[in-house]
């Protein structure tokens, strides 16, 4: 909500302050209100709102926190209470002064705002981190003792489309009652604001004993005309924290309203809450939330507006820590719960790593409030199983370390008291799994000078999934078997074990019985069955924890890429050049994976509708990563392109559209008008020569966006703008955002990733354009001597009879392929061709081969493409696995594309929305030269 609107000639309205229940309470401890509805004895974390009490510091005397596991189980308060020291501000002067953790971005010169409970880092002025165009933003946040940051960044966002604030000045100071603050002052940047100019001030305030930072942003219209319809909010890049909200599933997607947003990491958790109560309206995607606190604000000349929110930093990385922190800040006095774990006979068990759940129980026939956050506690092997929790009646459960609770424990938690909960757990067995590889010989690693003999043997990376054989439910998250071995505790029962390594391999699976207290051994053999000779499997856009909106460490990203069968990947951190190939060598994955250094750049000006540009490979220009490999802020896409082409050497420029799923700080995504309009905008920067080389038409699991992007691609190709279509995972996470799903196969002279010629790969994307994009099937196409990406002359072929369009569809047995669609000029050529009766290759793949004559037609020029129009026909039959179809007649220059679709989801390797994991594959366009001049729609035939 808008805290104040000030008209010219009036003094700024002071923000309201919460009442102080005790004289000792710091005056600034109660500036805000948190969205949370729960009376002291009601089920916590519901969907209303209550003001934050400024007496939070006094309540520390009622229930002292366990947050760091420092006390004995059952002791809530330390022996000596110590008055809180004032909050303080300091500059980072050495790396040791900064926070640690996978997302920590603070460097010397940045500002630390801290007290004895929490610490946050505000970036110094200058080039920004991640997607921020400048400093002054919150980039790190952690518990003051753990000092482990897992947050990406919080960037104020004004208006729609979003406009960033560029801060020009930073001041610091001390407030009343021991508070400290950092204030950044600047103006809005982005597309010109019609009718005005905005100056912006953001102040970060921290009380001496609080765990919440108050973020207050004020605006003033310094122009001579009104500024209309401003949405006021933040873009939150959650980093390594999984974003959640009450009433929503983890990993938020789409638009939603909630009393707060939260991010749960492994050791710390965060909550972002609007001031003054109410709800936050947000659009969330992979790794980000675009949060709006005030909508459609209008500022007359000289007018002011302000909005406030709170970033609460919880003591642990679990949902219960978030709920307790908000309950505490909202005025409640928490209680505690102490878990005792025993086996089925009642014998005590040591602390176990896992997840304890607290499910609120309705009392007196009333149902618990809807829209609550699912409460769970992350437990560890060395941590006491005792934590704070909001008062209420709960059922407590547990699952982890291969054990499950045999029944739920009913427990009532009261303020200031410890409630014991005794849980009996199932037994546990152990699976000793070995994964080996058979089939195609392992690629040879690139030779290393004076290399020592490999005493450890070749790595066999694999993804292993575990399911209850009776129900099909997953009993464990997918596991990585990097060296081909896993030793895993599992609950007793019959377990289905499935090993995979991407779509080129057949599944290796078996069912094994796990017995209580026993070890079971299992060996699985992976076999590469799909023949992709002459192509290398590439994921051309990946992110790690070096990006503000991703939380996966680089070593983890590389290992999982290899396990998913990715052979070549590009590190495209946001506005940050990164080279991960040394990490590949350290992991001994040289033979399986080649990483290219790259960068993803966002055009800050004039980039509407174009998204961002990925540039790779980079070399020496990547030596100053924080400063950016290339200038990007406030540059148009055309200016970035000119700078890239001026660099020595050759590199690929890929346009990434961000259809509906990317952070708004990427810039606007695809326009919502006709595909021709999107193609018109793209035509400004795409094409042979100095333009962009590749267009990303498929990103992750965005199926609807893919279909729209393909329509734009057809329009672009019809406009004589040749471009290479690509598919990328754009992965920011792991499961549900798998590396290589989808991927781009690029034709190269040598397909051994250990010896990959990067220059040849670049030439393949820039000039040959011979690619296949897929999440499963492998489809290739040839017309005469020309393959996809090339140019075939139908007129020359007609002298010796019609040419034959030969299409080959190959896939592993677990990958479905039902229909072949042939598109001419972007429209369907006849009905889909059923893929039935595929034959089995010697390696074990399923193979369909289809042949279609292509003849030179008669008449005038190519007709304008109409939705649903069909060119030529399809019919005929053929032996199983091979078919001949009715001829395709072409009258003038055009292009042909082959698309394969499946109807059975790619389970069990991928899980989630079935519609998002249906098999799909597409060839690059094959241009057809109908008039015999050696060119087609701007694409020149290769020299003989």
């Amino acid at each position: 909500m808008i805290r104040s609107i000030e008209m010219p000639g009036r003094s700024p309205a002071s923000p309201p302050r919460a009442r102080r229940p005790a004289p000792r309470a710091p005056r600034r401890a109660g500036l805000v209100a948190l969205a949370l509805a729960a009376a002291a004895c009601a089920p916590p974390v519901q969907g209303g709102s209550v003001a934050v009490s400024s007496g939070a510091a006094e309540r520390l005397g009622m229930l002292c926190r366990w947050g760091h596991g420092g006390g004995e189980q059952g002791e809530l308060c330390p022996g000596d209470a110590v008055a809180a020291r004032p909050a303080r501000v300091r500059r980072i002067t050495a790396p040791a002064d900064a926070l640690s953790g996978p997302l920590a971005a603070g460097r010397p010169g940045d500002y630390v705002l801290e007290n004895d409970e929490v610490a946050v880092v505000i970036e110094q002025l200058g080039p920004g981190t991640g997607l921020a165009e400048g400093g002054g933003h919150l980039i790190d946040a952690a518990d003051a003792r753990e000092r482990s940051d897992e947050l990406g960044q919080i960037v104020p966002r004004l208006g729609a489309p979003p406009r960033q604030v560029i801060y020009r000045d930073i001041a610091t100071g001390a407030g009343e009652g021991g508070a400290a603050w950092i204030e950044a002052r600047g103006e809005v940047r982005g597309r010109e604001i019609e009718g005005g100019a905005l100056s912006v001030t953001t102040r970060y305030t921290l009380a001496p004993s609080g765990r919440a930072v108050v973020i207050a942003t004020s605006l003033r219209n310094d122009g001579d005309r009104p500024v209309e319809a401003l949405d006021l909010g933040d873009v939150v890049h959650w980093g390594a924290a999984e974003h959640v909200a009450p009433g929503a599933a983890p990993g938020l997607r789409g638009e939603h309203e909630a009393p707060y947003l939260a991010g749960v990491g492994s050791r710390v958790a965060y909550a972002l809450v609007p001031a003054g109560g109410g709800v936050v309206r947000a659009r969330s995607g992979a790794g980000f939330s675009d949060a709006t606190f005030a909508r459609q604000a209008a500022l007359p000349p000289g007018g002011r507006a302000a909005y406030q929110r709170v970033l609460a930093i919880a003591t642990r990385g679990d949902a219960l820590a978030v709920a307790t922190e908000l309950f505490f800040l909202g005025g409640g006095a928490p209680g505690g719960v102490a878990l005792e774990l025993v086996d089925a006979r009642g014998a005590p068990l040591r602390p176990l790593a896992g997840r304890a759940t607290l499910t609120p129980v309705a009392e007196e026939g009333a149902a618990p409030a809807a829209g609550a956050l699912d409460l769970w506690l992350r437990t560890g092997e060395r941590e006491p199983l005792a934590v704070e929790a909001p008062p209420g009646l709960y059922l407590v459960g547990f699952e982890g370390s291969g054990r499950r609770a045999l029944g739920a424990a009913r427990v009532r938690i009261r303020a200031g008291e410890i409630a014991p909960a005794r849980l009996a757990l199932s037994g546990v067995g152990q699976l000793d799994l070995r994964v080996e590889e058979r089939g195609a010989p392992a690629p040879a690693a690139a030779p290393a000078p004076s290399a020592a003999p490999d005493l450890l043997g070749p790595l066999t990376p694999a993804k292993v999934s575990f399911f209850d054989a009776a129900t099909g439910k997953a009993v464990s998250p997918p596991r990585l078997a990097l060296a081909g071995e896993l030793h895993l505790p599992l609950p007793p029962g019959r377990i289905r074990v499935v090993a995979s390594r991407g779509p080129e391999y057949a599944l290796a699976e078996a069912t094994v019985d796990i017995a209580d207290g026993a070890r079971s051994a299992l060996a699985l053999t992976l076999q590469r069955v799909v023949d992709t000779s002459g192509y290398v499997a590439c994921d051309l856009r990946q992110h790690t924890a070096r990006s503000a909106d991703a939380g996966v460490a680089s070593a983890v990203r590389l290992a999982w890429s290899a396990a998913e069968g990715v052979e070549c990947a590009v590190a495209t951190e946001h506005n940050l050049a990164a080279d991960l190939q040394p990490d590949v060598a350290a992991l001994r994955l040289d033979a399986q994976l080649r990483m290219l250094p790259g960068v993803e750049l966002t055009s800050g000006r004039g980039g509407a509708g174009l998204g961002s540009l990925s540039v790779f490979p980079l070399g020496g220009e990547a030596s100053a990563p924080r400063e950016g490999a290339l200038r990007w802020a406030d540059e148009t896409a055309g200016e970035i392109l000119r700078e890239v082409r001026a660099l020595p050497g050759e590199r690929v420029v890929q346009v990434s559209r961000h259809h509906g799923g990317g952070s708004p700080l990427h810039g606007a995504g695809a326009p919502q008008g006709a595909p021709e309009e999107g193609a018109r905008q793209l035509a400004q920067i795409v094409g042979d020569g100095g333009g962009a080389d590749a267009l990303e038409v498929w990103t992750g699991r965005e199926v609807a966006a893919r279909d729209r992007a393909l329509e734009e691609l057809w329009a672009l190709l019809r406009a004589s703008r040749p471009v290479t279509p690509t598919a990328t995972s754009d992965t920011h996470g792991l499961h549900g955002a798998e590396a290589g799903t989808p991927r781009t196969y690029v034709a190269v002279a040598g397909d051994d990733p250990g010896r990959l010629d990067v220059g040849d790969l670049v030439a393949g994307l820039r000039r040959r354009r011979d690619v296949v994009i897929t999440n499963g099937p492998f489809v290739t196409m040839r017309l005469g001597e020309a393959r996809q990406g090339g140019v075939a002359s139908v007129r020359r072929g007609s002298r010796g009879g019609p040419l034959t369009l030969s299409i080959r569809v190959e896939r592993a047995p677990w990958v479905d392929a039902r229909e072949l669609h042939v598109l001419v000029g972007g429209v369907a050529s006849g009905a889909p061709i059923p893929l039935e009766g595929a034959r089995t290759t010697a390696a074990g793949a399923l193979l369909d081969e289809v042949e279609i004559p292509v003849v030179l037609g008669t008449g005038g020029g190519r007709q304008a493409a109409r939705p649903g129009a069909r060119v030529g026909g399809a019919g005929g039959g053929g032996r199983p696995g091979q078919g001949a179809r009715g001829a395709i007649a072409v009258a003038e220059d055009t292009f042909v594309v082959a698309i394969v679709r499946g109807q059975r989801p790619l389970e069990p390797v991928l899980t989630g929305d079935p519609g998002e994991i249906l098999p799909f594959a597409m060839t690059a366009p094959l241009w057809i030269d109908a008039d015999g001049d050696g060119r087609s729609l701007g694409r020149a035939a290769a020299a003989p």
Side-chain angles (χ1 to χ4, degrees):
M1 62 179 292
I2 301 176
R3 300 301 299 157
S4 63
I5 296 287
E6 183 187 342
M7 302 299 293
R10 296 173 57 187
S11 60
S14 301
R17 293 174 178 167
R19 290 176 294 178
R20 292 175 288 158
R24 292 180 296 161
R27 293 180 62 185
R28 288 207 175 262
L31 285 176
V32 297
L34 293 184
L36 182 67
C41 299
V45 197
Q46 300 172 16
S49 61
V50 11
V52 163
S53 168
S54 60
E58 280 73 10
R59 291 195 310 281
L60 283 171
M62 299 170 60
L63 177 66
C64 299
R65 294 173 173 267
W66 267 302
H68 318 286
E72 295 293 331
Q73 184 167 314
E75 292 185 5
L76 290 177
C77 295
D80 298 320
V82 179
R85 294 189 298 162
R88 47 213 175 267
V89 178
R90 59 182 175 84
R91 301 289 291 271
I92 297 176
T93 59
D97 298 334
L99 301 181
S100 61
L103 270 293
R107 60 168 178 166
D110 291 342
Y111 298 81
V112 178
L113 175 63
E114 62 186 339
N115 59 21
D116 292 341
E117 296 294 322
V118 297
V120 299
V121 175
I122 308 301
E123 189 171 18
Q124 63 190 288
L125 300 178
T129 295
L131 290 164
E133 294 186 11
H137 305 295
L138 193 154
I139 58 173
D140 295 334
D143 179 273
R145 298 171 181 84
E146 293 284 348
R147 306 194 71 77
S148 180
D149 165 67
E150 299 186 47
L151 182 68
Q153 60 186 164
I154 299 178
V155 180
R157 185 267 304 142
L158 309 176
R163 303 167 177 93
Q164 286 197 47
V165 180
I166 298 299
Y167 295 110
R168 304 298 186 188
D169 180 57
I170 292 181
T172 65
E176 301 176 4
W181 52 264
I182 298 173
E183 186 173 271
R185 296 183 288 268
E187 69 273 354
V188 166
R189 191 172 200 159
R191 277 196 265 168
E192 182 181 359
I193 297 179
E194 183 177 355
L198 293 179
S199 59
V200 181
T201 298
T202 297
R203 174 173 285 202
Y204 308 89
T205 303
L206 181 63
S209 60
R211 297 192 66 89
V213 179
V214 178
I215 307 173
T217 298
S218 60
L219 300 81
R220 185 183 66 222
N221 182 2
D222 294 331
D224 56 3
R225 288 176 294 174
V227 175
E228 305 290 344
L230 272 181
D231 287 348
L232 310 180
D234 295 316
V235 175
V236 185
H237 294 128
W238 293 105
E242 182 178 46
H243 45 320
V244 298
L252 297 175
R253 293 292 189 276
E255 296 185 357
H256 50 96
E257 292 186 356
Y260 61 89
L261 302 176
V264 179
S266 61
R267 301 175 66 180
V268 64
Y270 310 95
L272 185 67
V273 191
V279 298
V280 54
R281 298 172 177 85
R283 179 179 70 87
S284 295
F288 80 92
S289 293
D290 180 14
T292 298
F293 303 102
R295 308 187 76 174
Q296 302 295 300
L299 276 72
R304 300 172 183 259
Y307 64 105
Q308 297 182 359
R309 56 275 191 215
V310 170
L311 176 69
I313 304 167
T315 55
R316 299 180 315 278
D318 55 59
L320 181 60
V322 172
T324 305
E325 194 62 45
L326 296 182
F327 179 79
F328 183 79
L329 291 174
V337 59
L339 302 182
E340 180 187 6
L341 304 181
V342 299
D343 63 19
R345 298 181 300 273
L349 296 171
R350 59 177 174 78
L352 298 172
R355 175 180 289 205
T357 57
L358 281 76
T359 304
V361 176
E363 299 190 69
E364 298 179 358
L373 190 68
D374 291 336
L375 301 183
W376 58 273
L377 161 69
R378 192 191 309 274
T379 65
E381 296 179 351
R382 295 184 301 273
E383 298 177 7
L385 301 181
V387 293
E388 342 170 273
L393 184 63
Y394 300 90
L395 291 179
V396 182
F398 180 87
E399 185 172 4
S401 298
R403 297 178 183 266
R404 297 170 178 166
L406 298 176
R410 190 180 180 95
V411 60
R412 179 177 295 281
I413 299 175
R414 293 183 172 87
E417 298 180 5
I418 306 171
R422 194 169 192 257
L423 281 175
L425 304 186
S426 69
V428 62
Q430 178 166 307
L431 175 64
D432 297 323
L433 175 67
R434 181 171 182 80
V435 182
E436 300 174 331
E437 180 178 356
R438 183 180 64 222
S450 64
D454 188 357
L455 302 179
L456 299 178
L459 297 180
T460 310
K463 174 182 179 178
V464 187
S465 303
F466 304 87
F467 306 92
D468 185 298
T471 65
K473 180 183 177 181
V475 298
S476 168
R479 302 292 178 135
L480 171 68
L482 183 59
E485 291 188 356
L486 272 178
H487 304 280
L488 187 69
L490 290 172
R494 178 158 289 188
I495 305 296
R496 180 190 178 200
V497 184
V498 182
S500 64
R501 194 192 295 169
E504 297 180 40
Y505 285 76
L507 300 183
E509 62 176 302
T511 300
V512 61
D513 290 316
I514 304 296
D516 186 6
R519 302 181 69 159
S520 300
L522 179 64
L524 297 175
T525 301
L526 286 169
Q527 183 170 356
R528 192 174 196 167
V529 297
V530 179
D531 182 6
T532 60
S533 300
Y535 291 83
V536 62
C538 295
D539 192 350
L540 300 177
R541 190 154 65 105
Q542 291 189 347
H543 297 273
T544 72
R546 303 185 190 197
S547 285
D549 55 352
V552 180
S554 58
V556 175
R557 169 68 67 225
L558 299 176
W560 274 102
S561 293
E564 297 287 358
V566 175
E567 298 171 320
C568 166
V570 182
T572 54
E573 315 294 5
H574 296 302
N575 307 312
L576 175 81
D579 183 2
L580 302 185
Q581 189 59 30
D583 297 338
V584 173
L587 289 170
R588 300 174 50 246
L589 287 171
D590 310 65
Q592 288 88 4
L593 179 65
R594 178 62 185 266
M595 288 296 300
L596 304 184
V599 66
E600 182 176 347
L601 301 170
T602 300
S603 174
R605 177 169 59 88
L610 295 178
S612 61
L613 302 177
S614 299
V615 182
F616 60 90
L618 294 174
E621 65 276 8
S623 59
R626 177 76 177 267
E627 304 304 325
L630 297 162
R631 290 184 297 115
W632 60 275
D634 204 29
E635 293 209 351
T636 66
E639 289 169 340
I640 293 175
L641 269 171
R642 286 192 291 274
E643 185 176 352
V644 170
R645 297 307 182 205
L647 294 172
E650 188 177 32
R651 46 198 42 82
V652 175
V653 177
Q654 172 181 259
V655 182
S656 302
R657 300 285 276 147
H658 300 287
H659 293 263
S663 164
L665 298 189
H666 283 297
Q672 296 303 308
E676 286 74 13
E677 174 61 20
R680 185 192 65 78
Q681 294 190 20
L682 286 168
Q684 303 173 31
I685 62 168
V686 167
D688 284 337
D693 311 294
L695 176 63
E696 183 181 309
V697 297
W698 187 6
T699 306
R701 299 190 178 191
E702 297 175 17
V703 174
R706 177 194 67 203
D707 294 342
R708 176 182 175 81
L710 290 178
E711 291 299 325
E712 291 183 353
L713 174 65
W714 312 146
L716 196 64
L717 297 177
R718 288 191 292 262
S720 297
R721 290 289 182 175
V723 68
T724 303
T726 59
T728 77
S729 70
D730 188 28
T731 178
H732 290 67
L734 289 176
H735 312 308
E738 292 81 0
T741 302
R743 64 192 63 194
T744 303
Y745 283 91
V746 183
V748 289
D751 60 9
D752 180 349
R755 301 178 184 274
L756 182 63
D757 183 338
V758 175
D760 187 50
L761 177 79
V762 170
L765 287 165
R766 293 202 68 199
R767 291 186 290 279
R768 293 193 298 272
R769 306 194 190 279
D770 184 354
V771 301
V772 177
I773 64 174
T774 182
N775 63 0
F778 185 70
V779 54
T780 56
M781 178 173 59
R782 181 184 295 273
L783 181 60
E785 297 300 317
R787 302 197 307 191
Q788 68 255 11
V791 179
S793 175
V794 178
R795 183 172 296 278
R796 293 174 185 171
S798 66
R799 298 168 186 167
L803 293 176
T804 298
L805 183 67
S806 300
I807 302 174
R808 178 186 174 97
V809 181
E810 190 169 354
R811 69 271 191 195
W814 63 276
V815 176
D816 185 41
R818 299 289 182 89
E819 295 179 344
L820 171 64
H821 302 252
V822 179
L823 280 69
V824 179
V827 296
S829 174
I833 300 171
L835 298 177
E836 299 173 341
R839 64 183 177 89
T840 302
T841 67
L846 299 178
L847 175 64
D848 283 281
E849 294 175 295
V850 176
E851 295 184 348
I852 306 174
V854 177
V855 299
L856 185 64
T858 59
R862 175 171 55 85
Q863 298 296 315
R866 302 187 309 276
R870 290 178 176 175
V871 182
R879 66 179 177 85
Q882 185 172 9
R885 304 289 162 176
I888 295 175
V890 295
E892 64 175 28
D893 291 357
T894 188
F895 61 89
V896 180
V897 170
I899 292 177
V900 174
R901 294 180 183 269
Q903 298 176 6
R904 187 177 69 244
L906 292 165
E907 298 169 337
V909 175
L910 302 180
T911 58
D913 183 344
E916 295 180 344
I917 55 175
L918 292 174
F920 181 95
M922 188 186 90
T923 66
L926 196 161
W927 282 265
I928 296 180
D929 169 22
D931 56 18
D933 66 352
R935 300 183 62 85
S936 176
L937 301 178
R939 179 81 169 131

